[in-house]
Amino acid sequence: MLRKTILVWMTSMLVLLPSLADEKKQMDASVYDGWKSIDRGYVISNDGEYVSYVIKPQKGDSFLYLYDVKDNELDSVPRGVSPVFSQSNQFLVYDVKPQADTIRSLKLKKTKKSKMPKDSLFIHNLENGEVQKLGNINKWSIPNEGGDWLAYLLEKEVKKKKEVSADTTEVEEKEEEPKKEEEAKKKPVAKKKKKKSFKSKGKPLVFYRPANGDSLYLEKVLHYTLAKDGSAAYIVQSVGDTAEVAKVLKFDPQTFTVDTLFEETGNIAKIVSAYDGEQCAFYFSPDTTKTKVYRLYHFGLKVKAPQMIIDTLHPSLPQEWSARTKGSLWFSKNGEHLFFGAGKRPAEEPKDTLTADEKTYVDIWSWKDLDIQPMQKKNVGKEKDPTYNCVYHIKKKNVVQLTNESMKSIKLLDEGNSTVAIGYDNTPYRWARTYSGSWSSDVYKVDVTSGDRKLILSNHSGEAEVSETGKWFVYYQSADGQYYSINVKSGSKALISKGAEVNFADELHDTPSDAKAYGVVGFTSDEKYVIVYDRFDIWKLDLSGKTAAQCLTKGEGRKAATEYRYIKLDNEENYLDLSKEWLLQTFNVNTKQSGFSTLSANGIQQIMMGDYNVTKPIKAKDADLMVWRKSTFKQYPELRVSKGDLTESQVISNTNPQQKDYVWGDIQLVDWVASDGLVHQGLLITPENLDPNKKYPMISYFYERYSDELHNYRAPAPSRSTVNWNFYASNGYVIFVPDIYYREGDPGLCAYEAVVSGCLAMADDFSFIDRDNMGIQGQSWGGYQVAYLVTRTNLFKAGMAGAPVSNMTSAYGGIRWSSGMSRQFQYEKTQSRIGATLWENTQKYIENSPVFYAPQVETPLLMMHNDKDGAVPWYQGIEYYMALRRLEKPVWMLVYNGEQHNLTRRANSKDLSIRMMQFFNHYLKGEPMPVWMHDGIPAAKKGEELGYDLVD
């Protein structure tokens, strides 16, 4: 199973040799499936000696890799996924999936899901290299922060002659008693009605210690939970003959034994462990009916057996309430608080006495509704049967309700340890948010001990952070562009950003709404300061407001147009230590270079900076080892291993060696003076085998701004909605991606000013661009801009618009069906940028609506608008299509059935990629029309013919 190689190939394999450029092939649809990526779940052992990652193709079988840092060796496992190192550094656990071809063949045979092959569990012993394979796996778990063992649930019982009892490791022999001869000779008698037997839904659970092979097998396990520190596990067994008997067991990993804590007739729905394994809690119901009422039980500390702490008559909860399994159930890290959900006691639904044709089905839309009906329907489960957050104080043995019908949201602090929480009540502002787009709330201090709450801030919608202890609440106020602090205990408020002559909010903000702040980094360990960002630099603000704001980066970021951003290397870090050296990620907004720097008392020291993109490093918990990635437009972001100083790195992956065989794209940053009088930036992508003496068709793709993505790698893949830059460059296209700057009320005109001037500038500056064969493409907001541009100019020979808004006057009153939100806020406050209601500025809505100017369109247009689009109503595409069709303009609309805003089914993405390329090839390269464009595909032949063939 394991394949070992020495990593001597890295540098040579990653370089694309210029001498081979003439031998490279153009990419076609056949390359998609095999193009690979590194799965995000790459992991490092705590001691820094191993790194594991998975490389997966777009379609097919993955490979898991295990890199030995010390020996520079790489092991590989076909079809391996989901690697996890044990906290003890002793072993690596991962799944191995069945072969993709096998699964496909079984699907073609319509094999039942229950009969499909399952994943296998592999355990790789890092100390001796042995690998153990386990099949029949349902799921598995490893303690998060300690332990040298794991637990895995099997799909079905293992057939054994010997069985392990539930309460001990002793083995019991089972022998079948021989039938008595005289019983066999008895005459048949009338059968008695048997009692209905109980069939457990539980599965076998195994605890296993790979180091020495210790194991414990338990049958009929319904639920289990592991203590995060690895000191214990709690198990729920579902057993019984004629009725379900629920049992709670505690597993001791030291002795590999279990003790029975609880055994009652009934059902247990959920169980959780405290961090240190000393306590557990679970929901239990003795009800035998389908609708069960659960009680909450607690075990631990000095309690010898689980005790019921919440029943149906608890004095601290409203009448008719009970514990709810829908709610979260968890312990604070210190084990003093148990958080759970409670709400109205479930009851049997009354018997339906009306037939279907006797019932009335009606939605009543009332102007007084806080949420409009579509939003109510999206949240009907929560609103009809809400669950509220409560806490059980374990030492005091009392219950406190924390949320209610108005204050439904609460932020618990310090992993649940703090006695202060922050509550949010949006009730006063819900009615207006359908058009305001503002999710404002009143902010409350909540006493976790008593449930008392105190208003500390009204009508807040911007950025805010709370210190872990709950001492400080910090928020940004967009009205004056300043940061404020609130001492939660006293309620006193202070301006804390005074003296900083910078803008802490987005300097590039261009919608008719409040600009968001660049954000809070965190609080210092002494809770005297909060650290925040401006566009470029890092600031220290005095929480008391007594001293002026101090720029920790000394304004160096703004001077150099370089953003400095703090990198959190320790996931358990709750506070910032000003005495330590900080690692910073850097990005220059002009050149698009990125890298790393350090910040200390000696100032900023640059580690690396260049024409590439770097990712946030991941650090080994107990070692000076970093894993990170670096990419360019032409180089995939491979994994790199380095010491903590990041000065030298070893590439440990080689994801797409086949890239050297294909024509790729080159990219450059361009700028021009647009029609709005401003200097715009953009990206120009050209074939790497570009012949400067030839003419190349150009497609301009746009949304809002993309120039910061100069060094992002873009793999060839089927299109969900847009042109793939490298794929089109490989096929002889130039791609131009302009940044667009917007003014309130003129979104369409602003797109025109940026895109048209940019395309003309590119044609003037680069002689290889064919001015007579230029096209445009965009999706969603970009699709709207394409639909608008073809009403204003005949510069483009073809346009493709995905999910375009064509009529702002009708779209304004529509619904975003995926969320149930009204679309009004989008036009008044956000992306559509009209900045007024339909009746306040009707003319602007008309001016920016392409459908009103359909007679002016001369550009052939391909649209995609899917019939389940939850962001832009499908009828927007239909309106434009019907107008252009009526005017006998060349227009096609692709409607993928059941698809949302962007395509999700791979087969549909491949289909769109083919049709969009054929469309542009015909109009920009002069290739023949495909059948689907020339003749259409009748509904009667849907699914039978694709129409890809070209018409002579």
Side-chain angles (χ1 to χ4, degrees), residues 181-210:
E181 187 175 342
E182 56 271 22
E183 289 181 354
K185 293 179 181 180
K186 285 184 179 179
K187 294 180 179 180
V189 294
K191 292 183 179 180
K192 293 182 179 180
K193 189 176 181 180
K194 292 183 179 180
K195 291 184 178 180
K196 188 177 181 181
S197 62
F198 168 73
K199 186 176 181 181
S200 174
K201 293 181 180 179
K203 298 179 182 295
L205 175 69
V206 179
F207 292 103
Y208 181 62
R209 180 179 284 124

Side-chain angles (χ1 to χ4, degrees), residues 304-457:
K304 294 183 179 180
Q307 302 292 314
M308 183 175 65
I309 56 176
I310 300 294
D311 59 10
T312 56
L313 298 173
H314 197 283
S316 297
L317 296 177
Q319 289 186 357
E320 304 299 323
W321 275 34
S322 67
R324 301 294 301 272
T325 58
K326 289 197 309 184
S328 60
L329 181 64
W330 59 288
F331 287 92
S332 60
K333 188 172 183 179
N334 61 16
E336 295 182 4
H337 309 142
L338 173 61
F339 299 96
F340 66 97
K344 189 175 180 181
R345 191 184 313 164
E348 294 283 350
E349 291 287 339
K351 188 176 180 180
D352 195 346
T353 60
L354 296 176
T355 64
D357 59 338
E358 293 174 328
K359 295 177 182 178
T360 299
Y361 299 93
V362 60
D363 297 330
I364 298 176
W365 296 47
S366 169
W367 71 279
K368 292 184 178 181
D369 288 344
L370 294 182
D371 295 328
I372 60 175
Q373 280 284 321
M375 285 190 70
Q376 292 182 43
K377 288 183 175 182
K378 285 291 179 181
N379 300 311
V380 69
K382 295 178 182 178
E383 295 294 333
K384 186 177 180 180
D385 191 19
T387 297
Y388 301 103
N389 292 320
C390 301
V391 60
Y392 173 67
H393 296 286
I394 294 167
K395 291 182 179 179
K396 295 181 179 180
K397 297 186 177 181
N398 70 317
V399 172
V400 173
Q401 182 182 341
L402 298 176
T403 60
N404 58 25
E405 288 186 2
S406 59
M407 196 185 77
K408 296 179 180 179
S409 175
I410 192 168
K411 182 174 183 179
L412 297 162
L413 307 172
D414 193 21
E415 298 181 82
N417 295 339
S418 177
T419 58
V420 175
I422 301 298
Y424 300 90
D425 179 6
N426 64 17
T427 307
Y429 315 105
R430 280 168 59 185
W431 188 89
R433 72 184 178 188
T434 57
Y435 58 85
S436 70
S438 175
W439 291 70
S440 297
S441 295
D442 291 336
V443 184
Y444 289 84
K445 168 195 172 183
V446 180
D447 188 328
V448 176
T449 305
S450 65
D452 294 339
R453 60 199 63 176
K454 179 182 178 182
L455 181 68
I456 60 174
L457 186 62

Side-chain angles (χ1 to χ4, degrees), residues 91-314:
F91 57 90
L92 172 72
V93 187
Y94 53 88
D95 289 319
V96 171
K97 291 189 169 295
Q99 287 186 328
D101 287 345
T102 301
I103 296 296
R104 185 176 184 277
S105 332
L106 293 172
K107 285 182 177 179
L108 287 172
K109 295 177 182 177
K110 302 188 183 306
T111 305
K112 292 182 179 179
K113 187 177 180 180
S114 60
K115 300 292 184 182
M116 289 290 225
K118 304 296 187 294
D119 295 354
S120 298
L121 174 65
F122 279 62
I123 305 170
H124 185 150
N125 190 313
L126 298 174
E127 296 180 347
N128 58 27
E130 294 180 357
V131 179
Q132 184 175 359
K133 174 185 176 181
L134 301 169
N136 189 32
I137 300 297
N138 177 273
K139 69 174 183 177
W140 54 270
S141 309
I142 291 180
N144 287 355
E145 299 177 23
D148 58 354
W149 53 277
L150 70 151
Y152 56 88
L153 206 61
L154 298 172
E155 277 291 340
K156 55 187 177 181
E157 301 288 345
V158 177
K159 293 181 180 180
K160 290 184 177 182
K161 291 182 179 179
K162 296 179 180 181
E163 294 183 353
V164 182
S165 70
D167 299 346
T168 176
T169 54
E170 293 180 5
V171 174
E172 299 176 356
E173 296 284 352
K174 274 199 169 183
E175 296 182 3
E176 186 179 345
E177 292 185 7
K179 293 182 179 179
K180 294 181 180 180
E181 187 175 342
E182 56 271 22
E183 289 181 354
K185 293 179 181 180
K186 285 184 179 179
K187 294 180 179 180
V189 294
K191 292 183 179 180
K192 293 182 179 180
K193 189 176 181 180
K194 292 183 179 180
K195 291 184 178 180
K196 188 177 181 181
S197 62
F198 168 73
K199 186 176 181 181
S200 174
K201 293 181 180 179
K203 298 179 182 295
L205 175 69
V206 179
F207 292 103
Y208 181 62
R209 180 179 284 124
N212 59 14
D214 286 347
S215 67
L216 178 65
Y217 179 90
L218 301 170
E219 293 182 343
K220 297 180 173 60
V221 172
L222 209 56
H223 313 287
Y224 72 93
T225 179
L226 312 184
K228 286 187 177 181
D229 70 352
S231 62
Y234 292 91
I235 307 103
V236 173
Q237 280 187 315
S238 174
V239 296
D241 295 324
T242 59
E244 181 178 13
V245 175
K247 301 175 70 174
V248 175
L249 316 176
K250 183 178 181 180
F251 168 69
D252 183 349
Q254 297 298 319
T255 60
F256 256 64
T257 58
V258 292
D259 291 324
T260 300
L261 305 178
F262 177 89
E263 184 173 356
E264 293 285 347
T265 299
N267 174 265
I268 292 176
K270 186 185 294 187
I271 189 166
V272 295
S273 171
Y275 173 86
D276 60 5
E278 293 297 316
Q279 305 175 77
C280 80
F282 57 89
Y283 293 116
F284 169 75
S285 173
D287 299 336
T288 57
T289 57
K290 184 178 180 180
T291 302
K292 301 181 188 302
V293 177
Y294 285 89
R295 295 97 182 264
L296 179 59
Y297 281 72
H298 169 257
F299 166 80
L301 301 182
K302 297 180 180 180
V303 179
K304 294 183 179 180
Q307 302 292 314
M308 183 175 65
I309 56 176
I310 300 294
D311 59 10
T312 56
L313 298 173
H314 197 283

Side-chain angles (χ1 to χ4, degrees), residues 18 70 118 255 369 384 446 525 661 666 689 720 726 757 801:
K70 182 179 178 181
K118 304 296 187 294
T255 60
D369 288 344
K384 186 177 180 180
V446 180
S525 52
D661 299 327
D666 288 321
N689 59 356
R720 295 181 62 208
N726 271 315
S757 65

Side-chain angles (χ1 to χ4, degrees), residues 20 191 215 232 315 375 406 512 580 591 630 724 737 816 871 895 931 939:
L20 298 178
K191 292 183 179 180
S215 67
M375 285 190 70
S406 59
K580 290 184 178 180
T591 66
K630 183 172 76 171
N724 183 286
V737 188
R816 295 179 68 92
V895 180
V931 170

